[in-house]
């Protein structure tokens, strides 16, 4: 005879759980129980696997950043970032990403005249990074 004690299955009377929670299960049902548990775990893993899958932003479209005048202080530009999503039916949808919710921006050489670099990094449900530049003029 098999017993189910919480998450532990034992044979005979060697219980691993609290004797008050022990339930006797007929032999014919334990295979069905195990099959149901495996099926449930598979569904949960597939569901949460899809939720946790992060979307790569490396193919993102970045709107050109206008040339900025030099101010002697760091110039912080927040670019417009979007992703193009093509559905299985061939329809296309453009998703506008939101700064500080979907991506962050790192800056390099953004004080003096020349070429400044923006590194856009995905956060939240997005991953990866993409780099673009803009000009600073005197």
């Amino acid at each position: 005879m098999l017993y189910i004690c919480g998450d532990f299955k034992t044979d005979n009377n060697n219980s691993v759980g609290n004797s008050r929670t022990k339930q006797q299960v007929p032999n014919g049902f334990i295979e069905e129980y195990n099959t149901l548990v495996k099926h449930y775990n598979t569904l949960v893993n597939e569901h949460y696997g899809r939720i946790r899958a992060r979307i790569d932003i490396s193919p993102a479209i970045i709107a050109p950043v206008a040339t900025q005048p030099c101010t002697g202080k760091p110039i912080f530009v927040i670019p417009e970032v979007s992703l193009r999503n093509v559905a299985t039916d061939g329809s296309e949808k453009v998703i506008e990403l939101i700064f500080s919710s979907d991506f962050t921006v790192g800056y390099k050489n953004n004080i003096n005249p020349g070429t400044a670099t923006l590194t856009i990094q995905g956060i939240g449900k997005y991953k990866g990074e993409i780099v673009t530049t803009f000009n600073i003029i005197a």
Side-chain angles (χ1 to χ4, degrees):
M1 188 60 70
L2 291 172
Y3 294 88
I4 296 177
C5 303
D7 290 336
F8 302 100
K9 293 182 280 295
T10 64
D11 56 1
N12 301 323
N13 287 324
N14 298 326
S15 175
V16 192
N18 183 334
S19 62
R20 288 177 289 150
T21 62
K22 184 170 63 173
Q23 294 179 316
Q24 189 172 350
V25 177
N27 283 332
F29 292 103
I30 197 66
E31 289 82 15
E32 185 177 345
Y33 169 80
N34 285 335
T35 301
L36 288 172
V37 168
K38 286 179 186 175
H39 182 65
Y40 171 78
N41 287 337
T42 300
L43 289 175
V44 167
N45 289 336
E46 287 175 1
H47 175 71
Y48 284 106
R50 282 193 298 269
I51 289 173
R52 288 185 213 145
R54 296 174 68 200
I55 300 166
D56 187 13
I57 67 164
S58 60
I61 302 163
I62 303 171
V65 178
T67 298
Q68 302 292 315
C70 181
T71 62
K73 297 179 182 178
I75 299 172
F76 299 106
V77 178
I78 299 173
E80 293 179 19
V81 181
S82 57
L83 279 172
R84 188 165 293 167
N85 184 18
V86 179
T88 54
D89 65 358
S91 63
E92 196 173 288
K93 179 180 177 184
V94 176
I95 302 166
E96 298 293 328
L97 302 185
I98 301 167
F99 173 71
S100 80
S101 175
D102 298 330
F103 68 93
T104 60
V105 181
Y107 300 87
K108 185 176 178 183
N109 300 326
N110 61 331
I111 299 174
N112 299 317
T115 302
T117 304
L118 299 175
T119 303
I120 299 158
Q121 187 165 25
I123 59 173
K125 65 181 179 178
Y126 297 96
K127 67 177 181 177
E129 66 181 38
I130 189 166
V131 177
T132 190
T133 60
F134 69 94
N135 291 317
I136 300 175
I137 56 172

